[in-house]
Amino acid sequence: MQSRFDIAIIGGGAAGTLAAIQCLRQAREPVRIALFEPAPRLAEGVAYATDRPEHLLNVPTGRMSALPGSPADFLDWLALRDGHRDTAREALARSYAPRREYAHYLRDRLEQARAGSVATLDVVPQRIDALARDGDVWRLSWNDGQARARRVLLAVGNAPRPLPLRGSGALTRPRLVDAWDYAGVAAIGPEADVCIVGTGLSMVDAVLTLEANGHRGRIHLLSRHALLPLAHEPVHQVDDQLDVDGLKVLGVRARLRQLRRQARDAAARGLPWQAVMERLRPHVQALWRSMPTIEQRRFLRHAVRHWDIHRHRIAPAVRDVLQDLRDSGRLHVHRARLDMATAGQRCVQLTARTHDQRILALDVDHVVNATGVEMRVQAMRSALLVQLLGDGLAGPGAHGIGVATDASGRLVDASGHAQDALRVIGSLRIGEAWESIAVPELRVQAEAIAGDWLGDGAHASP
């Protein structure tokens, strides 16, 4: 059976759901929208699929609205649902809600937009494997069906990065567990010794689950830099004295020096360094785009991990859990590059090389892959992306990360042509935009794409 749509959104995680909400809200004619997502529940993807209460949002409730024009929308939704009084609203705004609540919120807002729209939304439980031009429309294919659409939005979400070591192919579940496999991490026994490879936000989730389950074994954290995410300040503050435009003419090293000076100056005025980062927050994409290619490469080689731990922060309460585990001797942080894994009958033997070239050997019961998001599109193991690259409909993004797009999210084909009817939202835009994974960017991208497409009065194809 074949169907025709005006807009097809491929992927129903947070990005795809935000896009569907905006298309429904902005439609002024009875357009037909399709949302293709094989998972049983929308709005989850990787980030919000967890049902673990200890997995918190990394941004306070008061700043997580899905709607650019209503900055307190998530706060309003949560306060109404839980019956918070006005006197408790300020505390709720500063709190960090469980991530699973955000998926409920997005689904609720999607249904609200659906009920109030002149457009129609069909949720199709299929994974799109191929996309091809068919006259003036796009043909979308899956294992036993096809559909056609005038415009297509790629919202395929994040893919896990494979474990970078020899011998990983011999490790199978439950010896090797992906940090995004929330049930697999929760199934690790309390006495087990665990090595978590990677020290970013995925690691935090795994440690929190182990701790919530009363874990008593040793937990080893291993990464090349051994840098853990830093925490938010309890009170949100912005340093309005930072000259953002002045940073745009500087190279990476000069920018970092200027930010360190600004952090010291802010401290002298009673502001935390986090206030400097909050001043930068709305300008990250412009700062990335202002750097020439050689400076972007320098950032990716030398500064990206330091940027990540300052930019992608955790709740203060989560920081306290990690610190307590380190103070008690149950959590050990190793700065080393993982080299080899050998699966024995009773444990996994890991070999790594430290930053000073010593050999580190660990015997553990489980290895958790928390190396984060795969940015190289060729390594994402997506049949659709492989097909788009192979057919020349897409090309790798800058520095080989994500796909090539322009500033409006139009997918750039192999000949350099930006395709208005084929757009991208979310992490695949990382090469062009850099900051393209968090809700503040996703909601703006969704609003802009829907506005571009529906502003000219899109209508159903005959």
Side-chain angles (χ1 to χ4, degrees):
M1 182 180 72
Q2 297 187 9
S3 300
R4 295 177 73 92
F5 301 95
D6 295 291
I7 295 173
I9 302 170
I10 301 177
T17 301
L18 285 166
I21 290 170
Q22 285 295 335
C23 288
L24 289 165
R25 285 169 60 93
Q26 296 193 43
R28 297 295 178 262
E29 296 183 13
V31 297
R32 292 193 63 194
I33 304 164
L35 182 58
F36 291 88
E37 174 53 56
R41 295 185 298 192
L42 296 176
E44 294 190 349
V46 171
Y48 306 115
T50 175
D51 63 357
R52 303 288 305 187
E54 66 271 12
H55 293 166
L56 305 180
L57 292 170
N58 294 315
V59 176
T61 297
R63 297 160 53 199
M64 280 294 290
S65 171
L67 307 176
S70 303
D73 190 63
F74 179 53
L75 173 61
D76 293 340
W77 178 86
L78 203 57
L80 180 63
R81 192 199 64 172
D82 294 346
H84 283 275
R85 298 178 182 272
D86 289 343
T87 54
R89 184 180 174 85
E90 185 175 343
L92 181 64
R94 294 197 303 267
S95 70
Y96 295 78
R99 289 211 307 272
R100 62 186 183 183
E101 303 296 346
Y102 202 71
H104 294 311
Y105 160 66
L106 290 179
R107 287 194 291 268
D108 194 50
R109 286 297 181 254
L110 178 64
E111 289 308 310
Q112 186 182 69
R114 201 176 192 176
S117 179
V118 296
T120 58
L121 174 67
D122 292 353
V123 178
V124 184
Q126 300 292 343
R127 185 184 307 278
I128 301 302
D129 297 319
L131 185 62
R133 195 72 187 172
D134 188 359
D136 62 347
V137 298
W138 292 98
R139 185 175 68 251
L140 299 86
S141 303
W142 58 93
N143 55 359
D144 59 355
Q146 289 187 344
R148 284 173 167 77
R150 293 174 58 215
R151 298 179 171 103
V152 177
L153 178 62
L154 299 179
V156 298
N158 301 315
R161 187 177 297 163
L163 199 62
L165 82 164
R166 293 180 293 161
S168 61
L171 299 181
T172 57
R173 196 175 189 266
R175 288 286 182 84
L176 174 62
V177 182
D178 195 280
W180 296 352
D181 179 0
Y182 301 117
V185 174
I188 293 175
E191 304 295 337
D193 287 343
V194 179
C195 179
I196 303 175
V197 183
T199 53
L201 297 177
S202 298
M203 170 278 296
V204 173
D205 279 351
V207 171
L208 290 177
T209 294
L210 294 174
E211 174 66 4
N213 287 349
H215 195 81
R216 296 181 293 275
R218 289 171 294 184
I219 304 173
H220 299 276
L221 307 183
L222 191 152
S223 73
R224 291 189 297 121
H225 299 95
L227 295 172
L228 276 59
L230 299 172
H232 288 276
E233 278 290 294
V235 178
H236 178 247
Q237 300 177 79
V238 179
D239 181 6
D240 58 6
Q241 294 191 20
L242 175 63
D243 178 13
V244 176
D245 288 335
L247 291 174
K248 294 177 182 178
V249 299
L250 303 177
V252 172
R253 293 189 179 94
R255 290 186 187 194
L256 293 177
R257 286 195 297 268
Q258 179 61 28
L259 289 175
R260 292 189 186 102
R261 283 195 295 268
Q262 187 68 26
R264 290 193 295 268
D265 178 67
R269 291 181 279 116
L271 292 174
W273 61 262
Q274 289 90 336
V276 178
M277 295 300 295
E278 291 304 324
R279 174 74 174 101
L280 286 181
R281 181 69 184 84
H283 306 282
V284 171
Q285 291 185 356
L287 287 166
W288 172 257
R289 291 165 179 156
S290 69
M291 285 194 291
T293 299
I294 190 170
E295 289 297 323
Q296 290 181 349
R297 288 175 181 163
R298 184 170 287 122
F299 172 84
L300 292 171
R301 273 198 313 271
H302 302 297
V304 64
R305 185 60 190 142
H306 293 274
W307 168 263
D308 284 346
I309 66 171
H310 289 83
R311 160 65 188 89
H312 300 288
R313 301 190 294 278
I314 55 179
V318 172
R319 182 264 321 277
D320 294 344
V321 170
L322 296 177
Q323 191 59 52
D324 288 346
L325 286 170
R326 296 187 75 174
D327 292 344
S328 69
R330 288 184 291 155
L331 184 68
H332 307 269
V333 182
H334 306 280
R335 183 183 175 189
R337 185 188 294 270
L338 196 56
D339 180 50
M340 179 178 290
T342 304
Q345 290 186 344
R346 300 185 62 181
C347 69
V348 178
Q349 298 173 328
L350 297 175
T351 303
R353 189 173 296 276
T354 67
H355 68 285
D356 55 0
Q357 300 305 305
R358 293 183 295 108
I359 299 298
L360 172 68
L362 297 173
D363 289 347
V364 297
D365 300 294
H366 299 274
V367 178
V368 177
N369 177 14
T371 51
V373 176
E374 178 59 70
M375 295 192 295
R376 300 164 300 159
V377 67
Q378 297 94 333
M380 290 180 183
R381 293 168 289 180
S382 164
L384 175 60
L385 294 177
V386 168
Q387 178 260 316
L388 292 175
L389 290 169
D391 290 351
L393 291 171
H399 316 293
I401 56 179
V403 294
T405 65
D406 68 6
S408 298
R410 297 186 297 175
L411 188 64
V412 177
D413 65 20
S415 65
H417 173 67
Q419 304 162 93
D420 184 70
L422 185 54
R423 300 216 188 184
V424 182
I425 185 173
S427 58
L428 285 178
R429 290 170 64 167
I430 189 169
E432 189 279 326
W434 181 249
E435 194 73 38
S436 190
I437 195 171
V439 166
E441 282 70 41
L442 298 180
R443 67 192 178 200
V444 170
Q445 291 177 12
E447 184 181 56
I449 291 169
D452 285 351
W453 279 351
L454 297 173
D456 61 355
H459 58 279
S461 302

